[in-house]
Amino acid sequence: MRLTIAIPESHIVAAPAVLRLIRMAQASDMEADDQGPAYVACFEDFPQSVDAVTQLIWESADPNGIHITIDGRPVVSPVKFYNTLLCYRESLGAPDPAAYCAQQAARVGDAGECPDRACLSHCQFICSRCVGLSRDRGAQSIAKQLVELARQAEVDWCPNLRIAK
């Protein structure tokens, strides 16, 4: 997967360590558009580069001021993406990442009193949203609706995400 992060030059002035991190990416460049110059870091091996991406976003200090794309798709909410990134990175330290995800989703479901104990998402970022899924005749399948929720939650890229069909 290809991930790019564009950080406006004005952010670099406030956080000079970011420029060093950008240059450590597999590829980096400077681009300019109607919003001004920005430094761009490219990670062709995402999510294997999860640590570098996490550190770059953290050091940028304002995730909402940066622009992220995954395989060309713009990330609408860098904050949601960052939270998902942290969760994925945490799961890498678990003996069973799938069990880790199910445990996190169960905590969210328990706190929100999830009415559907046969939840198909097993992702904490989707769990609280799945109550709004339509089970009416003619509605998209639950799996398709969950895929859309995953995209909206900025978790659709996560290798741990398994949506039962």
Side-chain angles (χ1 to χ4, degrees):
M1 219 177 295
R2 182 174 202 259
L3 178 126
T4 63
I5 301 175
I7 301 177
E9 186 176 45
S10 60
H11 283 61
I12 305 294
V13 172
V18 172
L19 187 55
R20 180 182 52 82
L21 292 169
I22 288 171
R23 290 183 176 144
M24 291 173 62
Q26 290 146 337
S28 63
D29 200 1
M30 186 162 188
E31 297 177 356
D33 61 16
D34 50 337
Q35 295 179 346
Y39 289 89
V40 180
C42 297
F43 299 90
E44 299 289 343
D45 65 345
F46 184 74
Q48 286 80 14
S49 52
V50 65
D51 289 330
V53 171
T54 303
Q55 187 175 4
L56 181 56
I57 294 171
W58 173 258
E59 291 290 338
S60 73
D62 179 14
N64 286 317
I66 63 178
H67 303 291
I68 303 169
T69 63
I70 301 173
D71 286 340
R73 178 187 71 81
V75 168
V76 176
S77 174
V79 171
K80 287 180 185 177
F81 173 77
Y82 183 70
N83 289 331
T84 302
L85 193 64
L86 291 176
C87 180
Y88 173 67
R89 190 174 75 175
E90 183 88 13
S91 78
L92 295 176
D96 181 356
Y100 171 86
C101 294
Q103 180 183 28
Q104 298 305 310
R107 283 191 3 218
V108 171
D110 290 345
E113 299 179 19
C114 181
D116 187 359
R117 292 296 173 199
C119 186
L120 301 173
S121 74
H122 303 295
C123 174
Q124 68 173 328
F125 300 108
I126 299 175
C127 186
S128 62
R129 301 164 187 240
C130 73
V131 275
L133 297 180
S134 175
R135 289 163 171 53
D136 296 337
R137 270 192 189 279
Q140 286 187 325
S141 71
I142 296 297
K144 285 184 180 177
Q145 292 179 68
L146 284 170
V147 168
E148 179 58 24
L149 282 178
R151 190 192 57 70
Q152 292 171 8
E154 302 295 357
V155 72
D156 57 323
W157 61 268
C158 183
N160 295 340
L161 184 65
R162 303 282 186 264
I163 296 179
K165 299 194 183 215

